[in-house]
Coordinates of all heavy atoms in Angstrom, one line a residue:
W1 N 6.9 12.2 3.9 CA 7.0 11.3 2.8 C 6.0 11.7 1.6 O 5.0 12.2 2.0 CB 6.6 9.9 3.1 CG 7.7 9.1 3.8 CD1 8.9 9.5 3.9 CD2 7.4 7.9 4.6 NE1 9.6 8.4 4.6 CE2 8.7 7.5 5.0 CE3 6.4 7.0 4.9 CZ2 9.0 6.3 5.8 CZ3 6.6 5.9 5.6 CH2 7.9 5.6 6.0
T2 N 6.3 11.4 0.5 CA 5.4 11.5 -0.7 C 4.4 10.3 -0.6 O 4.8 9.3 0.3 CB 6.2 11.5 -2.1 OG1 6.8 10.3 -2.2 CG2 7.1 12.7 -2.1
L3 N 3.4 10.3 -1.4 CA 2.6 9.1 -1.4 C 3.5 7.9 -1.8 O 3.2 6.9 -1.3 CB 1.3 9.4 -2.2 CG 0.3 8.3 -2.4 CD1 -0.2 7.8 -1.0 CD2 -0.8 8.6 -3.3
A4 N 4.1 8.1 -2.8 CA 4.9 6.9 -3.5 C 6.0 6.4 -2.4 O 6.1 5.2 -2.3 CB 5.7 7.3 -4.6
E5 N 6.5 7.2 -1.5 CA 7.4 6.8 -0.5 C 6.6 5.9 0.5 O 7.1 4.9 1.1 CB 8.2 7.9 0.2 CG 9.2 8.5 -0.7 CD 9.8 9.8 -0.3 OE1 9.0 10.5 0.3 OE2 10.9 10.1 -0.4
L6 N 5.4 6.4 0.9 CA 4.7 5.7 2.0 C 4.1 4.4 1.4 O 4.2 3.3 2.2 CB 3.4 6.5 2.3 CG 2.3 5.9 3.2 CD1 2.9 5.4 4.5 CD2 1.2 6.8 3.5
I7 N 3.7 4.4 0.2 CA 3.2 3.0 -0.5 C 4.4 2.1 -0.6 O 4.3 0.9 -0.2 CB 2.6 3.3 -1.8 CG1 1.3 4.2 -1.6 CG2 2.4 2.0 -2.6 CD1 0.2 3.7 -0.8
G8 N 5.5 2.6 -0.9 CA 6.6 1.8 -1.0 C 7.1 1.1 0.3 O 7.4 0.0 0.4
Y9 N 6.9 1.9 1.3 CA 7.2 1.4 2.7 C 6.2 0.4 3.0 O 6.6 -0.6 3.6 CB 7.1 2.6 3.7 CG 7.2 2.2 5.2 CD1 8.2 1.7 5.7 CD2 6.0 2.2 6.0 CE1 8.3 1.3 7.0 CE2 6.1 1.8 7.3 CZ 7.2 1.4 7.8 OH 7.4 0.9 9.2
L10 N 4.9 0.5 2.7 CA 4.0 -0.5 3.1 C 4.2 -1.8 2.3 O 3.9 -2.9 2.9 CB 2.5 0.0 2.6 CG 2.0 1.1 3.5 CD1 0.6 1.6 2.9 CD2 1.9 0.9 4.9
R11 N 4.8 -1.7 1.2 CA 5.2 -2.9 0.4 C 6.5 -3.6 0.9 O 6.8 -4.8 0.5 CB 5.4 -2.5 -1.0 CG 3.9 -2.3 -1.7 CD 4.0 -2.4 -3.2 NE 2.7 -2.3 -3.7 CZ 2.2 -1.3 -4.4 NH1 3.0 -0.2 -4.6 NH2 0.9 -1.3 -4.8
T12 N 7.1 -3.1 1.8 CA 8.2 -3.7 2.4 C 7.9 -4.6 3.6 O 8.6 -5.3 4.0 CB 9.3 -2.7 2.9 OG1 8.9 -1.9 4.1 CG2 9.8 -1.7 1.9
W13 N 6.7 -4.5 4.0 CA 6.3 -5.3 5.2 C 6.2 -6.8 4.8 O 5.6 -7.2 3.5 CB 5.0 -4.9 5.7 CG 4.8 -3.6 6.2 CD1 5.9 -2.6 6.4 CD2 3.7 -2.8 6.8 NE1 5.4 -1.5 7.0 CE2 4.1 -1.5 7.3 CE3 2.4 -3.2 6.8 CZ2 3.1 -0.7 7.8 CZ3 1.4 -2.3 7.3 CH2 1.8 -1.1 7.8
S14 N 6.7 -7.6 5.6 CA 6.6 -9.1 5.3 C 5.3 -9.5 5.3 O 4.8 -10.5 4.7 CB 7.5 -9.9 6.4 OG 7.0 -9.6 7.6
A15 N 4.3 -8.9 6.1 CA 2.9 -9.3 6.1 C 2.3 -8.9 4.9 O 1.3 -9.7 4.4 CB 2.2 -8.4 7.2
T16 N 2.7 -7.9 4.2 CA 2.2 -7.5 2.7 C 2.6 -8.7 1.8 O 1.7 -9.2 1.1 CB 2.6 -6.3 2.3 OG1 2.2 -5.2 3.2 CG2 2.1 -6.0 0.9
A17 N 3.8 -9.1 1.8 CA 4.3 -10.2 0.9 C 3.6 -11.5 1.1 O 3.2 -12.2 0.3 CB 5.9 -10.3 1.1
R18 N 3.3 -11.9 2.4 CA 2.6 -13.0 2.8 C 1.2 -13.0 2.3 O 0.7 -13.9 1.8 CB 2.6 -13.3 4.4 CG 3.8 -14.0 4.8 CD 3.7 -14.4 6.2 NE 3.0 -13.5 7.2 CZ 3.7 -12.7 7.8 NH1 5.0 -12.5 7.8 NH2 3.0 -11.8 8.7
F19 N 0.5 -11.9 2.4 CA -0.8 -11.6 1.9 C -0.9 -11.9 0.5 O -1.8 -12.5 0.0 CB -1.3 -10.2 2.3 CG -2.9 -9.9 2.0 CD1 -3.7 -10.1 2.9 CD2 -3.2 -9.6 0.6 CE1 -5.1 -9.8 2.7 CE2 -4.5 -9.4 0.4 CZ -5.4 -9.5 1.4
V20 N 0.0 -11.2 -0.3 CA 0.1 -11.4 -1.8 C 0.3 -12.8 -2.3 O -0.5 -13.4 -2.9 CB 1.2 -10.5 -2.4 CG1 1.4 -10.8 -3.9 CG2 0.9 -9.0 -2.2
A21 N 1.2 -13.5 -1.4 CA 1.5 -14.9 -1.8 C 0.3 -15.8 -1.5 O 0.0 -16.8 -2.2 CB 2.7 -15.5 -0.9
E22 N -0.5 -15.5 -0.4 CA -1.5 -16.4 0.0 C -2.9 -16.1 -0.8 O -3.7 -16.9 -1.1 CB -1.8 -16.3 1.5 CG -0.9 -16.8 2.3 CD -1.0 -16.5 3.9 OE1 -2.0 -16.0 4.2 OE2 0.0 -16.8 4.6
R23 N -3.0 -14.9 -1.1 CA -4.4 -14.4 -1.7 C -4.2 -14.0 -3.1 O -5.3 -13.7 -3.8 CB -4.9 -13.2 -0.9 CG -5.0 -13.6 0.6 CD -6.3 -13.3 1.3 NE -6.3 -13.7 2.6 CZ -6.7 -13.1 3.6 NH1 -7.3 -11.8 3.3 NH2 -6.8 -13.5 4.7
G24 N -3.1 -13.8 -3.7 CA -2.8 -13.5 -5.1 C -3.1 -12.1 -5.5 O -3.2 -11.9 -6.6
F25 N -3.3 -11.1 -4.6 CA -3.4 -9.8 -5.0 C -2.8 -8.9 -4.0 O -2.6 -9.2 -2.8 CB -4.9 -9.3 -5.3 CG -5.7 -9.3 -4.0 CD1 -5.9 -8.2 -3.3 CD2 -6.3 -10.6 -3.5 CE1 -6.7 -8.0 -2.2 CE2 -7.1 -10.4 -2.4 CZ -7.4 -9.3 -1.7
D26 N -2.4 -7.7 -4.3 CA -1.7 -6.7 -3.5 C -2.7 -5.8 -2.8 O -3.3 -4.9 -3.4 CB -0.7 -5.9 -4.4 CG 0.1 -4.8 -3.6 OD1 -0.1 -4.7 -2.3 OD2 0.9 -4.3 -4.2
P27 N -2.9 -5.9 -1.5 CA -3.8 -5.0 -0.8 C -3.5 -3.6 -0.7 O -4.3 -2.7 -0.5 CB -3.9 -5.6 0.6 CG -2.5 -6.1 0.8 CD -2.1 -6.7 -0.5
V28 N -2.2 -3.3 -1.0 CA -1.7 -1.9 -0.9 C -2.4 -1.1 -2.1 O -2.4 0.1 -1.9 CB -0.3 -1.8 -0.9 CG1 0.3 -0.4 -0.9 CG2 0.4 -2.6 0.3
V29 N -2.6 -1.7 -3.2 CA -3.3 -1.1 -4.4 C -4.5 -0.2 -3.9 O -4.7 0.8 -4.2 CB -3.7 -2.0 -5.4 CG1 -4.4 -1.3 -6.5 CG2 -2.4 -2.7 -6.1
E30 N -5.3 -0.9 -3.0 CA -6.5 -0.2 -2.6 C -6.2 0.8 -1.6 O -6.9 2.0 -1.5 CB -7.5 -1.3 -1.9 CG -8.8 -0.6 -1.5 CD -9.6 0.1 -2.6 OE1 -9.7 -0.3 -3.8 OE2 -10.3 1.1 -2.3
V31 N -5.3 0.7 -0.7 CA -4.8 1.7 0.2 C -4.4 2.9 -0.6 O -4.6 3.9 -0.2 CB -3.7 1.2 1.1 CG1 -3.1 2.3 1.9 CG2 -4.2 0.0 2.1
E32 N -3.5 2.8 -1.6 CA -3.0 3.7 -2.4 C -4.2 4.5 -3.1 O -4.2 5.7 -3.2 CB -2.1 3.3 -3.5 CG -1.4 4.3 -4.4 CD -0.3 3.8 -5.3 OE1 -0.3 2.5 -5.6 OE2 0.4 4.4 -5.7
R33 N -5.1 3.8 -3.7 CA -6.2 4.5 -4.3 C -7.0 5.3 -3.4 O -7.4 6.5 -3.7 CB -7.2 3.4 -4.9 CG -8.1 3.8 -5.9 CD -8.9 2.6 -6.6 NE -8.0 1.6 -7.3 CZ -8.0 0.3 -7.1 NH1 -8.9 -0.3 -6.4 NH2 -7.1 -0.4 -7.9
S34 N -7.3 4.8 -2.2 CA -8.0 5.6 -1.2 C -7.2 6.8 -0.7 O -7.8 7.9 -0.6 CB -8.2 4.6 0.0 OG -9.0 5.3 1.0
L35 N -5.9 6.7 -0.5 CA -5.2 7.8 0.0 C -4.9 8.9 -1.1 O -5.0 10.1 -0.7 CB -3.7 7.3 0.4 CG -3.7 6.7 1.9 CD1 -2.3 6.1 2.1 CD2 -4.1 7.6 3.0
S36 N -4.8 8.4 -2.3 CA -4.6 9.4 -3.4 C -5.7 10.3 -3.7 O -5.5 11.4 -4.0 CB -4.2 8.7 -4.7 OG -5.3 7.9 -5.2
R37 N -6.9 9.9 -3.2 CA -8.1 10.8 -3.4 C -7.9 12.0 -2.4 O -8.4 13.1 -2.9 CB -9.4 10.1 -3.0 CG -9.8 9.1 -4.2 CD -11.2 8.6 -3.9 NE -11.3 7.6 -2.8 CZ -11.2 6.3 -2.9 NH1 -11.1 5.8 -4.1 NH2 -11.3 5.5 -1.9
D38 N -7.3 11.8 -1.3 CA -7.2 13.0 -0.3 C -5.8 13.5 -0.2 O -5.7 14.5 0.5 CB -7.6 12.4 1.1 CG -9.0 12.0 1.2 OD1 -9.9 12.7 0.5 OD2 -9.3 10.9 1.7
W39 N -4.8 12.9 -0.9 CA -3.5 13.4 -0.8 C -3.2 14.7 -1.4 O -2.5 15.6 -0.8 CB -2.5 12.3 -1.2 CG -1.2 12.5 -0.9 CD1 -0.2 13.3 -1.5 CD2 -0.4 11.9 0.1 NE1 1.0 13.1 -0.9 CE2 0.8 12.3 0.2 CE3 -0.9 10.9 1.2 CZ2 1.8 11.9 1.2 CZ3 0.0 10.5 2.1 CH2 1.3 11.0 2.1
G40 N -3.9 15.0 -2.5 CA -3.6 16.1 -3.3 C -2.5 15.8 -4.2 O -2.5 14.7 -4.8
D41 N -1.6 16.8 -4.4 CA -0.4 16.5 -5.3 C 0.3 15.4 -4.8 O 0.9 15.5 -3.7 CB 0.4 17.9 -5.5 CG 1.5 17.7 -6.3 OD1 1.9 16.6 -6.9 OD2 2.3 18.7 -6.6

């Protein structure tokens, strides 16, 4: 997968949607930020 495909997959999780609904922010943003530093292209 590309980074975008992996991040898109993480956003399909029902747990991610519940987290966003309950806490008001997307936790995947920080995961993407962290992974992009080491992913390269």
Side-chain angles (χ1 to χ4, degrees):
W1 281 345
T2 63
L3 180 58
E5 290 169 323
L6 175 58
I7 295 304
Y9 172 70
L10 296 178
R11 288 203 170 103
T12 68
W13 293 358
S14 59
T16 302
R18 278 194 312 273
F19 186 98
V20 172
E22 291 172 9
R23 307 226 177 136
F25 68 95
D26 182 357
V28 178
V29 170
E30 183 57 36
V31 173
E32 183 175 19
R33 199 174 293 135
S34 178
L35 286 175
S36 67
R37 285 192 288 266
D38 297 318
W39 196 274
D41 181 355

